[in-house]
Amino acid sequence: MILTIASLKGGVGKTTLTAYLAQALREKGKRVLVIDADHNGSLTFFYLPTASEGDLEAANVKHALLRKRAFAPVDQGGCIWPTEKGDFVPATISLASVGLEIFQAADHGAVLGFRQALRRLDYDAILLDVHNALVYEMTASLYAADLVLVPVTAMPWTVRGYLDIEREVQKVHDSIGVGPRILAVPSMVSDIEAGALRELDIWQSTKAAIRRDKAIRDAASAGRALREDTIAARAFAELAGEVVG
Ligand SMILES: Nc1ncnc2c1ncn2[C@@H]1O[C@H](COP(=O)(O)OP(=O)(O)OP(=O)(O)O)[C@@H](O)[C@H]1O
Ligand SMILES: [Mg+2]
């Protein structure tokens, strides 16, 4: 199953959700691949804080989009790093130019090529964390997905971030006849806010919600896994069960 975690709003918890949903899935015994598809590289810092720029550049997901490197282990010349936290594909700032490079190469099949390359992989779940703007790699990640998770907060502007993604998902359905489901995930909320967000008829929301929780922020900024048996870890485990089963 391929999951893209997306919103056209920044700072809604996409990267954090990707990191800890992946952890929860791995703790359930799932084989998981996480892909950083955001040129800001926040998730790359979380997974590979000490890797050199040169090594990261060589395994950049950009090369998979450009069809110059396969989704194979780095020691076989591919993009997948076996990290302490699990299999991971990094991004660097140079990913920001991938749309232009694909345009210049007139590679009109790159989006579908990326989709097919991911679908050939043998993982239970592949998670993509994307940038908060409608860039080429966002489109490619929506085309590849079975399910798009959109973190939504209690701020009114996150509704826009959701609706913009929903419109892009509809375009995928319109152009290739299939496409991902889309679910809102209440993120950085209180229990009351989560209840209110679930009730809105703008979206279909997950039952699981991720609370605003200092333990999550502290673990994310320290690049640590969440401690098992905490409220936060249980919420991600519930979400993992709900979306991947
Ligand atoms: N559930 C949470 N509780 C408390 N803090 C959180 C939670 N989720 C995320 N944060 C914090 O909020 C900030 C933004 O989170 P994150 O980087 O995951 O958002 P993002 O949507 O990926 O942002 P961007 O659009 O910049 O990529 C970070 O400092 C993170 O640690
Ligand atoms: Mg992010």
Side-chain angles (χ1 to χ4, degrees):
M1 177 176 212
I2 301 176
L3 296 103
T4 294
I5 294 81
S7 170
L8 289 193
K9 291 295 175 194
V12 292
K14 297 180 292 296
T15 300
T16 307
L17 182 74
T18 308
Y20 296 129
L21 177 57
Q23 180 190 332
L25 288 165
R26 286 174 176 132
E27 282 167 3
K28 282 181 187 292
K30 305 284 185 196
R31 290 163 305 144
V32 181
L33 175 66
V34 173
I35 300 176
D36 191 352
D38 181 350
H39 61 262
N40 286 320
S42 310
L43 206 52
T44 296
F45 189 71
F46 180 83
Y47 274 87
L48 292 164
T50 59
S52 74
E53 257 319 289
D55 285 347
L56 293 176
E57 191 55 58
N60 193 347
V61 67
K62 173 180 174 177
H63 306 306
L65 276 155
L66 289 167
R67 307 201 230 196
K68 290 186 174 156
R69 271 193 186 225
F71 284 112
V74 278
D75 62 6
Q76 294 167 30
C79 294
I80 301 177
W81 286 62
T83 79
E84 274 174 17
K85 298 182 177 103
D87 286 359
F88 178 70
V89 178
T92 74
I93 194 72
S94 77
L95 175 62
S97 64
V98 74
L100 181 61
E101 290 182 42
I102 288 171
F103 176 73
Q104 285 168 340
D107 184 1
H108 305 302
V111 162
L112 293 180
F114 188 66
R115 183 177 197 273
Q116 276 159 8
L118 289 176
R119 277 167 188 278
R120 276 197 291 269
L121 297 177
D122 187 22
Y123 288 95
D124 299 315
I126 300 174
L127 277 65
L128 294 122
D129 179 31
V130 298
H131 187 55
N132 56 48
L134 244 189
V135 288
Y136 189 91
E137 50 280 24
M138 153 83 84
T139 301
S141 300
L142 294 179
Y143 268 82
D146 297 298
L147 176 62
V148 176
L149 296 177
V150 185
V152 293
T153 71
M155 303 303 282
W157 44 260
T158 65
V159 172
R160 255 253 74 104
Y162 172 88
L163 292 174
D164 290 337
I165 294 292
E166 187 181 53
R167 190 189 59 236
E168 294 307 312
V169 163
Q170 188 55 48
K171 285 189 200 164
V172 177
H173 284 267
D174 293 345
S175 61
I176 58 171
V178 289
R181 287 175 58 221
I182 176 166
L183 288 172
V185 185
S187 165
M188 304 164 80
V189 287
S190 66
D191 289 344
I192 291 173
E193 289 166 343
L197 289 172
R198 281 192 209 99
E199 295 296 300
L200 293 177
D201 44 7
I202 300 168
W203 45 53
Q204 192 185 336
S205 151
T206 56
K207 285 197 219 68
I210 309 303
R211 287 190 198 174
R212 186 181 306 105
D213 183 341
K214 186 173 176 301
I216 296 177
R217 197 187 59 218
D218 289 351
S221 56
R224 272 193 282 105
L226 281 179
R227 270 204 302 281
E228 275 182 67
D229 232 12
T230 54
I231 293 171
R234 280 197 292 276
F236 285 102
E238 189 189 337
L239 182 64
E242 200 178 330
V243 297
V244 178

Coordinates of all heavy atoms in Angstrom, one line a residue, residues 55 57-80 117:
D55 N 26.7 11.8 0.0 CA 26.1 10.5 0.1 C 24.6 10.6 -0.1 O 23.9 9.8 -0.8 CB 26.3 9.7 1.4 CG 27.7 9.2 1.4 OD1 28.4 9.1 0.4 OD2 28.2 8.8 2.5
E57 N 23.1 13.1 -1.6 CA 22.8 13.6 -3.0 C 22.8 12.4 -4.0 O 21.9 12.3 -4.9 CB 23.9 14.6 -3.4 CG 23.6 15.3 -4.7 CD 22.3 16.0 -4.7 OE1 22.1 16.8 -3.9 OE2 21.5 15.7 -5.6
A58 N 23.7 11.4 -3.7 CA 23.8 10.3 -4.6 C 22.5 9.4 -4.5 O 22.1 8.8 -5.5 CB 25.0 9.4 -4.2
A59 N 21.9 9.4 -3.4 CA 20.7 8.5 -3.2 C 19.4 9.3 -3.2 O 18.3 8.8 -2.9 CB 20.8 7.8 -1.9
N60 N 19.5 10.6 -3.6 CA 18.3 11.5 -3.6 C 17.2 10.8 -4.4 O 17.4 10.3 -5.5 CB 18.8 12.8 -4.3 CG 17.9 13.9 -4.2 OD1 16.7 13.7 -3.8 ND2 18.3 15.1 -4.6
V61 N 16.0 10.9 -3.9 CA 14.8 10.4 -4.6 C 14.6 11.1 -6.0 O 14.0 10.5 -6.9 CB 13.5 10.6 -3.8 CG1 13.2 12.1 -3.6 CG2 12.3 9.9 -4.3
K62 N 15.2 12.2 -6.2 CA 15.2 12.9 -7.5 C 15.7 12.0 -8.6 O 15.1 12.0 -9.7 CB 16.2 14.1 -7.4 CG 16.4 14.8 -8.6 CD 17.4 16.0 -8.4 CE 17.8 16.6 -9.7 NZ 18.7 17.8 -9.4
H63 N 16.7 11.1 -8.3 CA 17.2 10.3 -9.4 C 16.2 9.2 -9.7 O 16.3 8.7 -10.9 CB 18.6 9.6 -8.9 CG 19.6 10.6 -8.5 ND1 20.0 11.7 -9.3 CD2 20.3 10.8 -7.3 CE1 20.8 12.5 -8.7 NE2 21.0 11.9 -7.5
A64 N 15.4 8.8 -8.8 CA 14.3 7.8 -9.1 C 13.3 8.5 -10.0 O 12.8 7.9 -10.9 CB 13.7 7.3 -7.8
L65 N 13.0 9.7 -9.7 CA 12.0 10.4 -10.5 C 12.5 10.7 -11.9 O 11.8 10.6 -12.9 CB 11.6 11.8 -9.9 CG 10.6 11.7 -8.8 CD1 10.7 12.9 -7.8 CD2 9.2 11.8 -9.4
L66 N 13.8 10.9 -12.0 CA 14.5 11.1 -13.3 C 14.8 9.8 -14.0 O 15.3 9.8 -15.1 CB 15.8 11.9 -13.1 CG 15.6 13.4 -12.8 CD1 17.0 13.9 -12.3 CD2 15.1 14.2 -13.9
R67 N 14.5 8.7 -13.4 CA 14.7 7.3 -13.9 C 16.2 7.0 -14.1 O 16.5 6.3 -15.0 CB 13.9 7.1 -15.2 CG 12.4 7.4 -15.0 CD 11.7 6.7 -16.0 NE 10.7 7.6 -16.7 CZ 9.8 7.1 -17.5 NH1 9.6 5.8 -17.6 NH2 9.0 7.9 -18.1
K68 N 17.0 7.6 -13.2 CA 18.4 7.4 -13.3 C 18.9 6.4 -12.3 O 20.0 5.9 -12.4 CB 19.2 8.7 -13.2 CG 18.9 9.6 -14.5 CD 19.8 10.8 -14.5 CE 19.6 11.6 -15.8 NZ 19.9 13.0 -15.7
R69 N 18.1 6.2 -11.2 CA 18.5 5.3 -10.2 C 17.2 4.5 -9.8 O 16.1 5.0 -9.8 CB 19.0 5.9 -8.9 CG 20.5 6.1 -8.9 CD 21.0 6.5 -7.6 NE 22.4 6.8 -7.7 CZ 23.3 6.4 -6.9 NH1 23.0 5.7 -5.8 NH2 24.6 6.7 -7.1
A70 N 17.5 3.2 -9.5 CA 16.3 2.4 -9.1 C 16.0 2.5 -7.6 O 16.8 3.0 -6.9 CB 16.6 0.9 -9.5
F71 N 14.8 2.0 -7.2 CA 14.5 1.8 -5.8 C 15.2 0.5 -5.4 O 14.5 -0.5 -5.4 CB 13.0 1.8 -5.6 CG 12.4 3.2 -5.6 CD1 11.6 3.5 -6.6 CD2 12.7 4.1 -4.6 CE1 11.0 4.8 -6.7 CE2 12.2 5.4 -4.7 CZ 11.3 5.7 -5.7
A72 N 16.5 0.5 -5.2 CA 17.3 -0.6 -4.8 C 18.2 -0.1 -3.7 O 18.4 1.1 -3.5 CB 18.1 -1.1 -6.0
P73 N 18.8 -1.1 -2.9 CA 19.7 -0.6 -1.9 C 20.8 0.2 -2.4 O 21.3 0.0 -3.5 CB 20.2 -2.0 -1.3 CG 19.1 -3.0 -1.6 CD 18.6 -2.5 -3.0
V74 N 21.3 1.2 -1.5 CA 22.4 2.0 -1.9 C 23.6 1.3 -2.3 O 24.3 1.6 -3.2 CB 22.7 3.1 -0.9 CG1 21.8 4.3 -1.0 CG2 22.7 2.6 0.5
D75 N 23.9 0.1 -1.6 CA 25.1 -0.6 -1.9 C 25.0 -1.3 -3.3 O 26.0 -1.9 -3.8 CB 25.5 -1.5 -0.8 CG 24.5 -2.6 -0.5 OD1 23.5 -2.7 -1.2 OD2 24.7 -3.3 0.5
Q76 N 23.8 -1.3 -3.9 CA 23.7 -1.8 -5.2 C 23.4 -0.7 -6.2 O 22.9 -0.9 -7.3 CB 22.5 -2.8 -5.3 CG 22.7 -4.1 -4.5 CD 21.4 -4.9 -4.3 OE1 20.5 -4.9 -5.2 NE2 21.3 -5.6 -3.2
G77 N 23.8 0.5 -5.8 CA 23.6 1.7 -6.7 C 22.3 2.3 -6.7 O 21.9 3.1 -7.6
G78 N 21.4 1.9 -5.8 CA 20.0 2.5 -5.8 C 19.9 3.6 -4.7 O 20.9 4.2 -4.3
C79 N 18.6 3.9 -4.4 CA 18.3 5.0 -3.5 C 17.9 4.6 -2.1 O 17.6 5.5 -1.3 CB 17.1 5.8 -4.1 SG 17.5 6.6 -5.6
I80 N 17.8 3.3 -1.8 CA 17.2 2.9 -0.5 C 18.3 2.7 0.5 O 19.2 1.8 0.3 CB 16.3 1.7 -0.6 CG1 15.2 1.9 -1.6 CG2 15.8 1.2 0.7 CD1 14.3 0.7 -1.9
A117 N 7.3 2.1 -10.7 CA 8.6 1.7 -9.9 C 8.2 1.4 -8.5 O 8.7 0.5 -7.9 CB 9.6 2.8 -10.0

